[in-house]
Amino acid sequence: IKEKKMKNKMNKEVLELLNEQIWLENHAMYHYLNLAVEFGNKGFSGISTYFFNQSEEERQHSIKLIKYILDRDEVPTIPQYNYLEPYEETFDVQFHFENSLVQEKKVSEQVFKVINGCRKHNDYTTENFMQWYVAEQQDEESKFKDIIDKLKMVGDSGLGIYQIDSELGGSPQTEETPG
Ligand code: OFO
């Protein structure tokens, strides 16, 4: 008889924090999917592609957490709905990037909350795992800041926005697929 591999059970609070992280990654996935559709509808095919890629990255972030929890012999909570809220504000390119940066900052705060929980309960394994998310969040925030800076530079210039749209559509994200 094969002996079941014993793993250290996770602290309940850390598990809850990781599940909240899955919720936020799922939220981010649908947030960007929404934007991909919105920009696509408005004819910004480059920005639309950018957000489709971003949405896919978020899906991977969520799956990476799900696999980690399974690997620790615990049960992840999968959000049971799609997060697609209709919104009413007038369409504004810069607004959507600024709002996305605000969303990313919330995700970063949650990453830090998980790490604090790990420290409180001496879960060094999960803390180490979460360091990938720390670097990833830093990268995402800085990507959005760069785009916002460019949008501010071009202002209302149609040609400027057209160039940014082309650039974003032509630069597939190079992030390695998380395992
Ligand atoms: Fe998952 O990186 Fe954005 O939210």
Side-chain angles (χ1 to χ4, degrees):
I1 300 166
K2 227 178 175 182
E3 217 175 283
K4 193 173 187 307
K5 205 159 77 179
M6 289 302 289
K7 295 185 181 172
N8 289 335
K9 295 298 274 182
M10 285 177 85
N11 170 273
K12 286 277 161 285
E13 190 186 348
V14 173
L15 179 59
E16 217 167 276
L17 286 164
L18 285 173
N19 277 322
E20 280 171 25
Q21 188 73 42
I22 293 174
W23 192 95
L24 277 172
E25 303 292 350
N26 184 66
H27 173 283
M29 171 174 70
Y30 284 104
H31 170 76
Y32 293 125
L33 191 57
N34 214 12
L35 289 179
V37 171
E38 176 116 13
F39 276 94
N41 270 336
K42 297 278 190 297
F44 294 88
S45 60
I47 297 178
S48 174
T49 300
Y50 177 84
F51 281 124
F52 271 122
N53 289 338
Q54 186 62 39
S55 176
E56 177 54 27
E57 275 198 24
E58 300 298 351
R59 193 185 76 87
Q60 290 175 4
H61 297 172
S62 170
I63 286 175
K64 186 177 168 82
L65 282 155
I66 290 167
K67 285 183 176 168
Y68 174 75
I69 294 174
L70 282 175
D71 194 47
R72 292 288 305 267
D73 264 356
E74 300 283 359
V75 182
T77 307
I78 311 294
Q80 295 296 315
Y81 55 88
N82 296 348
Y83 195 91
L84 278 174
E85 275 184 358
Y87 42 90
E88 307 201 342
E89 80 278 353
T90 26
F91 181 79
D92 180 88
V93 176
Q94 193 174 316
F95 165 81
H96 284 303
F97 280 94
E98 279 170 346
N99 189 39
S100 294
L101 178 57
V102 170
Q103 302 297 318
E104 285 305 326
K105 287 187 171 172
K106 284 186 192 157
V107 176
S108 301
E109 274 167 31
Q110 175 66 22
V111 169
F112 300 143
K113 262 171 77 180
V114 179
I115 290 177
N116 279 333
C118 293
R119 291 190 179 168
K120 190 166 138 200
H121 298 290
N122 300 328
D123 186 343
Y124 306 116
T125 312
T126 305
E127 179 175 347
N128 183 48
F129 168 78
M130 289 305 293
Q131 290 303 329
W132 184 89
Y133 287 84
V134 173
E136 178 63 15
Q137 283 309 120
Q138 167 63 32
D139 186 51
E140 293 202 340
E141 285 189 27
S142 102
K143 254 180 356 193
F144 278 115
K145 280 184 199 144
D146 283 354
I147 297 169
I148 292 165
D149 283 347
K150 282 185 187 162
L151 285 168
K152 283 182 181 161
M153 254 183 257
V154 303
D156 288 336
S157 154
L159 181 62
I161 293 178
Y162 172 79
Q163 277 168 345
I164 292 174
D165 183 57
S166 309
E167 242 178 67
L168 291 177
S171 55
Q173 295 169 29
T174 50
E175 182 199 358
E176 69 197 80
T177 304

